[in-house]
Amino acid sequence: MTISNERRATGRWNDPALPASVRARALLDAMTDAEKVRQLGSSWPGHDAVGDVAPMQETFRDAETFDEAVVGGLGHLTRVFGTAPIDPEAGRERLAAAQARVVSANRFGIPAIAHEECLTGFTTWQATVYPTPLALAATWDPGLVHRMAAAIGSDMAAVGVHQGLAPVLDVVRDYRWGRVEETLGEDPYLVSELGLAYVRGLQSAGVVATVKHFAGYSTSRAARNHAPAVLGPREFADVILVPFEKAVVAGRVGSVMNAYNDVDGVPCGADETLLTDLLRDSWGFEGTVVSDYWSIAFLATLHRVAADVPSAAHAALRAGIDVELPHRSGYGEPLLAMVRDGRVAPELLDRAVLRVLTQKAELGLLDPGWDPGRYTAPPDLDSPRNRDIARRLAEESIVLLDNGSDVLPLAGQPSIAVIGPVADEARCLFGCYSFPNHVLPHHPELPLGVEAPTVLDAVRREFPGSAVHHEIGCPITGDDRSGIGAAVVAAAAADLTILVVGDRSGMFGHGTSGEGCDVPDLNLPGVQDDLAEAVLGAARQAVLIVVSGRPYAIGRHARAADATLQAFFPGQEGAAAIAGVLSGRINPSGRLPVQIPGDTAAQPGTYLAPPLALRSDGVSNIDPTPAFPFGHGTSYSSFRIQDVRADEDVVAVDGLITVRATVTNTGDRAGTHVPQLYLTDPVASVTRPVRQLIGFTRVDLAPGQTRTVRFTVHADMTGFTGRDLRRRVEPGHIILTIARSAGDPGSSVQVTLIGDARVVDHTRTMSVPGDVLPD
């Protein structure tokens, strides 16, 4: 599908030997205002027929057609693969054809940037469905997350996709929020380390990563999607912004997506202080800011800070949004009219267009040999490589919450009752942005497109000598209790009961977890709590398995069960991983990236809290203590951490602290431990968290083996936002604790920082290397 160059205007912008910025400037100077505006818009081919996959999309069904959108140029192509089920080879051909039309319709022959969703893998039919981000976070394994993102990127690049709309760097603040499953947990350090790994992995394959949602989206009032953010400037700086800052400064991420919400009355999409002053002028971001879908129009229709869509476009452009997604509303003729009549300054338009053209030059889209038909290899989007990575991630993500009765790993059981509405439903293994849950519900006639055994299937395969009986018990949602009686009979009759409860992810109320699927409390959906109480009360021995997108208040059920597992939507290989943990084929190593709330925690806070937010007898009758703390997870091996020491007990406020400990596998089988390094600042100029994660590592140990772990802590890691809203490192005592979780006392060392307080910025040290030293 070679495009003729005969009518194409050529110039310095086509010279790959020149820097991308120089090429982009030359092209910008050759463009008319109309051609410039065209580079800021996008088109969503087939948007008028797509199901409910984005918020309030019905309002935009009358958007311009693809034929109209390409005339004179186009900035982005939206979801050519991810809109409807399409065979990978046919998708490659469709994208190439669309690009050929884009190239032919503008005099410079400039292609569009093709973007797709990729939160749990390339969101297209027949592509590998990896674990959801909350499950990725449960691995505490940045190296494996990097491998996954690189594999996703290579698959996308192979078929002509240039940009992925991931990762989500929102830090969980309220578990009732529907999009908890899309996050990397409740701790800014864990989110930032795993998010950085994802960004670097995706961009190593030549695909632009897009971090979102910038910023404050996860702090919505009452955990309602799109609701105003509720937070002060210190929480904003020290919790919410940290992962984005690291992705920009350390990861050189190529794109940022604005959040839908407002913060203290200012919508993020119109916030120049956020999108320009902080992101670009302070942090040095050089990529493109893309709008979340329709968020520019929302400035007028929902936020009401603009009188109409043209005014919203002006506000967004001035704030720093460069590209309107998923198709044009304000960044089209309305913007052009405002440029021509002087309401929008030419330099404001040029600023955004230059960023888009620079990115296109960096991607090779301005090179003279670029051809939309260049992607010719038949794609295998569910390759053995992908499935192996998905398997390893799923296995590392399973969290053994409790095994107090030592029922696990399971020996041969004559009869097993597998009970629960999640046990025999493959879609319960996937997140809301997986293709099977995001798009396929609108195409019920089609298969999943990937092999994804259910938990019931996996149990039967894992225990071929056992008689396995299944009862659903109750549906995931609703109040139908008619099946609970049969489930109780099955549990009482079986030698072992496996109870599988939790979520089925969906969108905008069509699931129990996912975007727009917020909840008022943290009880299990429907009548699953009633099912759990009845079945666990009747079973001889029982294993509780929660497969969910958020943590639920299952403490009382865990106390009634003999063992409890937590799986956060572990993907297409997830059921086999769960079964492998049950049998002992897999020694679990997952750790909680969010707390499991306690029985009375209807509206819990996270572990990252000052003293007054934690249990305070005599002050409040509500106990926020979790059933299982952040970072918790057990194993079939036992481990001992000892000899915790710091090489220095006094260091300067700009110095380094080296903390060491020995970790021993005291069990009789090989296993993986996850030592976690927490900071406590006993006295500071503002209130500080009782504990704050600042480092972690994974240690693989054979039975009886001892290894030394070392954390190198720069004093910058003790910094926080002070009363003057500048980040500072203060002198004084700090406590560093190596522990198994945020709730484990662990072993501590005290270090004194000396010198004058220091003000630090984005150039500070933001990571703590964790090394496992050679034997």
PDB file of all heavy atoms in Angstrom, residues 64-93:
ATOM      1  N   GLU A  64     -18.064  14.277  13.482  1.00  0.00           N
ATOM      2  CA  GLU A  64     -17.746  14.226  12.057  1.00  0.00           C
ATOM      3  C   GLU A  64     -17.285  12.830  11.655  1.00  0.00           C
ATOM      4  O   GLU A  64     -16.734  12.070  12.447  1.00  0.00           O
ATOM      5  CB  GLU A  64     -16.660  15.245  11.720  1.00  0.00           C
ATOM      6  CG  GLU A  64     -15.329  14.979  12.404  1.00  0.00           C
ATOM      7  CD  GLU A  64     -14.301  16.066  12.128  1.00  0.00           C
ATOM      8  OE1 GLU A  64     -14.498  16.851  11.190  1.00  0.00           O
ATOM      9  OE2 GLU A  64     -13.292  16.116  12.848  1.00  0.00           O
ATOM     10  N   THR A  65     -17.513  12.494  10.405  1.00  0.00           N
ATOM     11  CA  THR A  65     -17.120  11.196   9.890  1.00  0.00           C
ATOM     12  C   THR A  65     -15.615  11.157   9.662  1.00  0.00           C
ATOM     13  O   THR A  65     -14.945  12.204   9.619  1.00  0.00           O
ATOM     14  CB  THR A  65     -17.832  10.897   8.571  1.00  0.00           C
ATOM     15  OG1 THR A  65     -17.367  11.825   7.573  1.00  0.00           O
ATOM     16  CG2 THR A  65     -19.341  11.002   8.722  1.00  0.00           C
ATOM     17  N   PHE A  66     -15.097   9.964   9.481  1.00  0.00           N
ATOM     18  CA  PHE A  66     -13.665   9.809   9.198  1.00  0.00           C
ATOM     19  C   PHE A  66     -13.304  10.522   7.896  1.00  0.00           C
ATOM     20  O   PHE A  66     -12.259  11.182   7.810  1.00  0.00           O
ATOM     21  CB  PHE A  66     -13.317   8.324   9.129  1.00  0.00           C
ATOM     22  CG  PHE A  66     -11.881   8.053   8.778  1.00  0.00           C
ATOM     23  CD1 PHE A  66     -10.860   8.422   9.638  1.00  0.00           C
ATOM     24  CD2 PHE A  66     -11.553   7.426   7.583  1.00  0.00           C
ATOM     25  CE1 PHE A  66      -9.531   8.169   9.319  1.00  0.00           C
ATOM     26  CE2 PHE A  66     -10.235   7.170   7.261  1.00  0.00           C
ATOM     27  CZ  PHE A  66      -9.219   7.541   8.134  1.00  0.00           C
ATOM     28  N   ASP A  67     -14.157  10.416   6.870  1.00  0.00           N
ATOM     29  CA  ASP A  67     -13.882  11.088   5.591  1.00  0.00           C
ATOM     30  C   ASP A  67     -13.761  12.593   5.773  1.00  0.00           C
ATOM     31  O   ASP A  67     -12.896  13.239   5.151  1.00  0.00           O
ATOM     32  CB  ASP A  67     -14.997  10.781   4.585  1.00  0.00           C
ATOM     33  CG  ASP A  67     -14.965   9.338   4.105  1.00  0.00           C
ATOM     34  OD1 ASP A  67     -13.891   8.708   4.209  1.00  0.00           O
ATOM     35  OD2 ASP A  67     -16.008   8.840   3.646  1.00  0.00           O
ATOM     36  N   GLU A  68     -14.585  13.158   6.638  1.00  0.00           N
ATOM     37  CA  GLU A  68     -14.506  14.589   6.903  1.00  0.00           C
ATOM     38  C   GLU A  68     -13.264  14.933   7.719  1.00  0.00           C
ATOM     39  O   GLU A  68     -12.615  15.967   7.509  1.00  0.00           O
ATOM     40  CB  GLU A  68     -15.750  15.043   7.662  1.00  0.00           C
ATOM     41  CG  GLU A  68     -17.042  14.926   6.877  1.00  0.00           C
ATOM     42  CD  GLU A  68     -18.278  15.100   7.742  1.00  0.00           C
ATOM     43  OE1 GLU A  68     -18.196  14.813   8.965  1.00  0.00           O
ATOM     44  OE2 GLU A  68     -19.312  15.525   7.211  1.00  0.00           O
ATOM     45  N   ALA A  69     -12.935  14.057   8.656  1.00  0.00           N
ATOM     46  CA  ALA A  69     -11.860  14.360   9.603  1.00  0.00           C
ATOM     47  C   ALA A  69     -10.479  14.385   8.956  1.00  0.00           C
ATOM     48  O   ALA A  69      -9.600  15.131   9.401  1.00  0.00           O
ATOM     49  CB  ALA A  69     -11.877  13.347  10.737  1.00  0.00           C
ATOM     50  N   VAL A  70     -10.259  13.583   7.920  1.00  0.00           N
ATOM     51  CA  VAL A  70      -8.900  13.443   7.393  1.00  0.00           C
ATOM     52  C   VAL A  70      -8.512  14.576   6.457  1.00  0.00           C
ATOM     53  O   VAL A  70      -7.324  14.748   6.153  1.00  0.00           O
ATOM     54  CB  VAL A  70      -8.725  12.096   6.667  1.00  0.00           C
ATOM     55  CG1 VAL A  70      -8.951  10.946   7.622  1.00  0.00           C
ATOM     56  CG2 VAL A  70      -9.619  11.983   5.444  1.00  0.00           C
ATOM     57  N   VAL A  71      -9.467  15.343   5.979  1.00  0.00           N
ATOM     58  CA  VAL A  71      -9.167  16.381   4.991  1.00  0.00           C
ATOM     59  C   VAL A  71      -8.240  17.428   5.593  1.00  0.00           C
ATOM     60  O   VAL A  71      -8.566  18.058   6.606  1.00  0.00           O
ATOM     61  CB  VAL A  71     -10.464  17.048   4.483  1.00  0.00           C
ATOM     62  CG1 VAL A  71     -10.128  18.198   3.532  1.00  0.00           C
ATOM     63  CG2 VAL A  71     -11.343  16.028   3.787  1.00  0.00           C
ATOM     64  N   GLY A  72      -7.065  17.578   5.003  1.00  0.00           N
ATOM     65  CA  GLY A  72      -6.105  18.573   5.454  1.00  0.00           C
ATOM     66  C   GLY A  72      -5.172  18.098   6.545  1.00  0.00           C
ATOM     67  O   GLY A  72      -4.248  18.811   6.924  1.00  0.00           O
ATOM     68  N   GLY A  73      -5.363  16.896   7.047  1.00  0.00           N
ATOM     69  CA  GLY A  73      -4.464  16.362   8.061  1.00  0.00           C
ATOM     70  C   GLY A  73      -5.209  15.873   9.296  1.00  0.00           C
ATOM     71  O   GLY A  73      -6.377  16.227   9.510  1.00  0.00           O
ATOM     72  N   LEU A  74      -4.541  15.061  10.092  1.00  0.00           N
ATOM     73  CA  LEU A  74      -5.146  14.473  11.286  1.00  0.00           C
ATOM     74  C   LEU A  74      -4.064  14.203  12.322  1.00  0.00           C
ATOM     75  O   LEU A  74      -2.993  13.683  11.986  1.00  0.00           O
ATOM     76  CB  LEU A  74      -5.869  13.166  10.926  1.00  0.00           C
ATOM     77  CG  LEU A  74      -6.691  12.500  12.030  1.00  0.00           C
ATOM     78  CD1 LEU A  74      -7.887  13.381  12.406  1.00  0.00           C
ATOM     79  CD2 LEU A  74      -7.181  11.124  11.579  1.00  0.00           C
ATOM     80  N   GLY A  75      -4.367  14.548  13.563  1.00  0.00           N
ATOM     81  CA  GLY A  75      -3.397  14.314  14.632  1.00  0.00           C
ATOM     82  C   GLY A  75      -3.340  12.872  15.068  1.00  0.00           C
ATOM     83  O   GLY A  75      -2.282  12.240  15.075  1.00  0.00           O
ATOM     84  N   HIS A  76      -4.512  12.301  15.425  1.00  0.00           N
ATOM     85  CA  HIS A  76      -4.567  10.957  15.998  1.00  0.00           C
ATOM     86  C   HIS A  76      -5.657  10.128  15.331  1.00  0.00           C
ATOM     87  O   HIS A  76      -6.704  10.659  14.936  1.00  0.00           O
ATOM     88  CB  HIS A  76      -4.882  11.021  17.499  1.00  0.00           C
ATOM     89  CG  HIS A  76      -3.699  11.111  18.390  1.00  0.00           C
ATOM     90  ND1 HIS A  76      -3.385  10.159  19.335  1.00  0.00           N
ATOM     91  CD2 HIS A  76      -2.736  12.046  18.483  1.00  0.00           C
ATOM     92  CE1 HIS A  76      -2.295  10.516  19.987  1.00  0.00           C
ATOM     93  NE2 HIS A  76      -1.883  11.668  19.485  1.00  0.00           N
ATOM     94  N   LEU A  77      -5.422   8.839  15.276  1.00  0.00           N
ATOM     95  CA  LEU A  77      -6.428   7.839  14.936  1.00  0.00           C
ATOM     96  C   LEU A  77      -6.780   7.098  16.215  1.00  0.00           C
ATOM     97  O   LEU A  77      -5.909   6.564  16.903  1.00  0.00           O
ATOM     98  CB  LEU A  77      -5.896   6.845  13.905  1.00  0.00           C
ATOM     99  CG  LEU A  77      -6.140   7.163  12.435  1.00  0.00           C
ATOM    100  CD1 LEU A  77      -5.293   6.236  11.559  1.00  0.00           C
ATOM    101  CD2 LEU A  77      -7.616   7.023  12.085  1.00  0.00           C
ATOM    102  N   THR A  78      -8.070   7.022  16.527  1.00  0.00           N
ATOM    103  CA  THR A  78      -8.540   6.441  17.773  1.00  0.00           C
ATOM    104  C   THR A  78      -9.012   5.004  17.584  1.00  0.00           C
ATOM    105  O   THR A  78      -9.910   4.736  16.794  1.00  0.00           O
ATOM    106  CB  THR A  78      -9.698   7.281  18.340  1.00  0.00           C
ATOM    107  OG1 THR A  78      -9.216   8.595  18.653  1.00  0.00           O
ATOM    108  CG2 THR A  78     -10.298   6.651  19.584  1.00  0.00           C
ATOM    109  N   ARG A  79      -8.381   4.085  18.245  1.00  0.00           N
ATOM    110  CA  ARG A  79      -8.858   2.720  18.487  1.00  0.00           C
ATOM    111  C   ARG A  79      -9.367   2.000  17.235  1.00  0.00           C
ATOM    112  O   ARG A  79     -10.480   1.488  17.203  1.00  0.00           O
ATOM    113  CB  ARG A  79      -9.937   2.752  19.569  1.00  0.00           C
ATOM    114  CG  ARG A  79      -9.390   3.197  20.904  1.00  0.00           C
ATOM    115  CD  ARG A  79     -10.439   3.221  21.982  1.00  0.00           C
ATOM    116  NE  ARG A  79     -11.051   1.899  22.131  1.00  0.00           N
ATOM    117  CZ  ARG A  79     -11.763   1.535  23.197  1.00  0.00           C
ATOM    118  NH1 ARG A  79     -11.945   2.380  24.187  1.00  0.00           N
ATOM    119  NH2 ARG A  79     -12.291   0.349  23.266  1.00  0.00           N
ATOM    120  N   VAL A  80      -8.523   1.946  16.234  1.00  0.00           N
ATOM    121  CA  VAL A  80      -8.891   1.179  15.039  1.00  0.00           C
ATOM    122  C   VAL A  80      -9.037  -0.301  15.386  1.00  0.00           C
ATOM    123  O   VAL A  80      -9.912  -0.994  14.858  1.00  0.00           O
ATOM    124  CB  VAL A  80      -7.838   1.385  13.932  1.00  0.00           C
ATOM    125  CG1 VAL A  80      -8.117   0.465  12.745  1.00  0.00           C
ATOM    126  CG2 VAL A  80      -7.827   2.847  13.478  1.00  0.00           C
ATOM    127  N   PHE A  81      -8.211  -0.799  16.294  1.00  0.00           N
ATOM    128  CA  PHE A  81      -8.298  -2.192  16.741  1.00  0.00           C
ATOM    129  C   PHE A  81      -9.313  -2.377  17.861  1.00  0.00           C
ATOM    130  O   PHE A  81      -9.972  -3.417  17.941  1.00  0.00           O
ATOM    131  CB  PHE A  81      -6.935  -2.672  17.257  1.00  0.00           C
ATOM    132  CG  PHE A  81      -5.964  -3.069  16.192  1.00  0.00           C
ATOM    133  CD1 PHE A  81      -5.172  -2.119  15.569  1.00  0.00           C
ATOM    134  CD2 PHE A  81      -5.829  -4.391  15.806  1.00  0.00           C
ATOM    135  CE1 PHE A  81      -4.259  -2.487  14.592  1.00  0.00           C
ATOM    136  CE2 PHE A  81      -4.932  -4.768  14.828  1.00  0.00           C
ATOM    137  CZ  PHE A  81      -4.143  -3.811  14.219  1.00  0.00           C
ATOM    138  N   GLY A  82      -9.421  -1.407  18.739  1.00  0.00           N
ATOM    139  CA  GLY A  82     -10.129  -1.613  19.994  1.00  0.00           C
ATOM    140  C   GLY A  82     -11.567  -1.176  20.022  1.00  0.00           C
ATOM    141  O   GLY A  82     -12.145  -1.048  21.104  1.00  0.00           O
ATOM    142  N   THR A  83     -12.167  -0.953  18.862  1.00  0.00           N
ATOM    143  CA  THR A  83     -13.549  -0.496  18.812  1.00  0.00           C
ATOM    144  C   THR A  83     -14.535  -1.640  18.658  1.00  0.00           C
ATOM    145  O   THR A  83     -15.603  -1.648  19.254  1.00  0.00           O
ATOM    146  CB  THR A  83     -13.724   0.512  17.673  1.00  0.00           C
ATOM    147  OG1 THR A  83     -12.912   1.663  17.937  1.00  0.00           O
ATOM    148  CG2 THR A  83     -15.171   0.949  17.514  1.00  0.00           C
ATOM    149  N   ALA A  84     -14.177  -2.616  17.851  1.00  0.00           N
ATOM    150  CA  ALA A  84     -15.034  -3.777  17.599  1.00  0.00           C
ATOM    151  C   ALA A  84     -14.137  -4.975  17.342  1.00  0.00           C
ATOM    152  O   ALA A  84     -12.961  -4.821  16.993  1.00  0.00           O
ATOM    153  CB  ALA A  84     -15.957  -3.525  16.404  1.00  0.00           C
ATOM    154  N   PRO A  85     -14.657  -6.199  17.519  1.00  0.00           N
ATOM    155  CA  PRO A  85     -13.826  -7.383  17.305  1.00  0.00           C
ATOM    156  C   PRO A  85     -13.331  -7.446  15.861  1.00  0.00           C
ATOM    157  O   PRO A  85     -14.123  -7.304  14.915  1.00  0.00           O
ATOM    158  CB  PRO A  85     -14.777  -8.550  17.610  1.00  0.00           C
ATOM    159  CG  PRO A  85     -15.843  -7.955  18.464  1.00  0.00           C
ATOM    160  CD  PRO A  85     -16.008  -6.554  17.995  1.00  0.00           C
ATOM    161  N   ILE A  86     -12.039  -7.639  15.709  1.00  0.00           N
ATOM    162  CA  ILE A  86     -11.448  -7.754  14.387  1.00  0.00           C
ATOM    163  C   ILE A  86     -10.240  -8.662  14.481  1.00  0.00           C
ATOM    164  O   ILE A  86      -9.456  -8.607  15.445  1.00  0.00           O
ATOM    165  CB  ILE A  86     -11.063  -6.359  13.835  1.00  0.00           C
ATOM    166  CG1 ILE A  86     -10.632  -6.471  12.364  1.00  0.00           C
ATOM    167  CG2 ILE A  86      -9.994  -5.689  14.682  1.00  0.00           C
ATOM    168  CD1 ILE A  86     -10.511  -5.122  11.673  1.00  0.00           C
ATOM    169  N   ASP A  87     -10.097  -9.541  13.527  1.00  0.00           N
ATOM    170  CA  ASP A  87      -8.941 -10.426  13.469  1.00  0.00           C
ATOM    171  C   ASP A  87      -7.669  -9.587  13.395  1.00  0.00           C
ATOM    172  O   ASP A  87      -7.643  -8.542  12.738  1.00  0.00           O
ATOM    173  CB  ASP A  87      -9.078 -11.323  12.224  1.00  0.00           C
ATOM    174  CG  ASP A  87      -7.877 -12.200  12.019  1.00  0.00           C
ATOM    175  OD1 ASP A  87      -7.865 -13.296  12.591  1.00  0.00           O
ATOM    176  OD2 ASP A  87      -6.957 -11.783  11.286  1.00  0.00           O
ATOM    177  N   PRO A  88      -6.587  -9.986  14.073  1.00  0.00           N
ATOM    178  CA  PRO A  88      -5.375  -9.168  14.083  1.00  0.00           C
ATOM    179  C   PRO A  88      -4.860  -8.793  12.696  1.00  0.00           C
ATOM    180  O   PRO A  88      -4.451  -7.653  12.470  1.00  0.00           O
ATOM    181  CB  PRO A  88      -4.365 -10.040  14.839  1.00  0.00           C
ATOM    182  CG  PRO A  88      -5.202 -10.874  15.742  1.00  0.00           C
ATOM    183  CD  PRO A  88      -6.463 -11.151  14.983  1.00  0.00           C
ATOM    184  N   GLU A  89      -4.894  -9.739  11.762  1.00  0.00           N
ATOM    185  CA  GLU A  89      -4.420  -9.427  10.422  1.00  0.00           C
ATOM    186  C   GLU A  89      -5.347  -8.436   9.729  1.00  0.00           C
ATOM    187  O   GLU A  89      -4.895  -7.485   9.076  1.00  0.00           O
ATOM    188  CB  GLU A  89      -4.317 -10.713   9.590  1.00  0.00           C
ATOM    189  CG  GLU A  89      -3.860 -10.514   8.152  1.00  0.00           C
ATOM    190  CD  GLU A  89      -2.449  -9.946   8.023  1.00  0.00           C
ATOM    191  OE1 GLU A  89      -1.702  -9.966   9.022  1.00  0.00           O
ATOM    192  OE2 GLU A  89      -2.110  -9.467   6.927  1.00  0.00           O
ATOM    193  N   ALA A  90      -6.652  -8.617   9.904  1.00  0.00           N
ATOM    194  CA  ALA A  90      -7.596  -7.671   9.316  1.00  0.00           C
ATOM    195  C   ALA A  90      -7.452  -6.296   9.966  1.00  0.00           C
ATOM    196  O   ALA A  90      -7.601  -5.259   9.299  1.00  0.00           O
ATOM    197  CB  ALA A  90      -9.017  -8.193   9.476  1.00  0.00           C
ATOM    198  N   GLY A  91      -7.161  -6.277  11.274  1.00  0.00           N
ATOM    199  CA  GLY A  91      -6.950  -5.006  11.952  1.00  0.00           C
ATOM    200  C   GLY A  91      -5.732  -4.281  11.417  1.00  0.00           C
ATOM    201  O   GLY A  91      -5.756  -3.050  11.234  1.00  0.00           O
ATOM    202  N   ARG A  92      -4.667  -5.040  11.179  1.00  0.00           N
ATOM    203  CA  ARG A  92      -3.460  -4.430  10.601  1.00  0.00           C
ATOM    204  C   ARG A  92      -3.772  -3.807   9.253  1.00  0.00           C
ATOM    205  O   ARG A  92      -3.351  -2.680   8.950  1.00  0.00           O
ATOM    206  CB  ARG A  92      -2.367  -5.493  10.481  1.00  0.00           C
ATOM    207  CG  ARG A  92      -1.038  -4.970   9.936  1.00  0.00           C
ATOM    208  CD  ARG A  92      -0.078  -6.115   9.656  1.00  0.00           C
ATOM    209  NE  ARG A  92      -0.597  -6.993   8.615  1.00  0.00           N
ATOM    210  CZ  ARG A  92      -0.549  -6.716   7.302  1.00  0.00           C
ATOM    211  NH1 ARG A  92      -0.038  -5.565   6.900  1.00  0.00           N
ATOM    212  NH2 ARG A  92      -1.005  -7.565   6.420  1.00  0.00           N
ATOM    213  N   GLU A  93      -4.533  -4.523   8.435  1.00  0.00           N
ATOM    214  CA  GLU A  93      -4.879  -4.014   7.115  1.00  0.00           C
ATOM    215  C   GLU A  93      -5.791  -2.792   7.217  1.00  0.00           C
ATOM    216  O   GLU A  93      -5.658  -1.832   6.455  1.00  0.00           O
ATOM    217  CB  GLU A  93      -5.553  -5.113   6.301  1.00  0.00           C
ATOM    218  CG  GLU A  93      -4.605  -6.263   5.947  1.00  0.00           C
ATOM    219  CD  GLU A  93      -5.318  -7.413   5.250  1.00  0.00           C
ATOM    220  OE1 GLU A  93      -6.570  -7.345   5.147  1.00  0.00           O
ATOM    221  OE2 GLU A  93      -4.635  -8.349   4.814  1.00  0.00           O
TER     222      GLU A  93
END
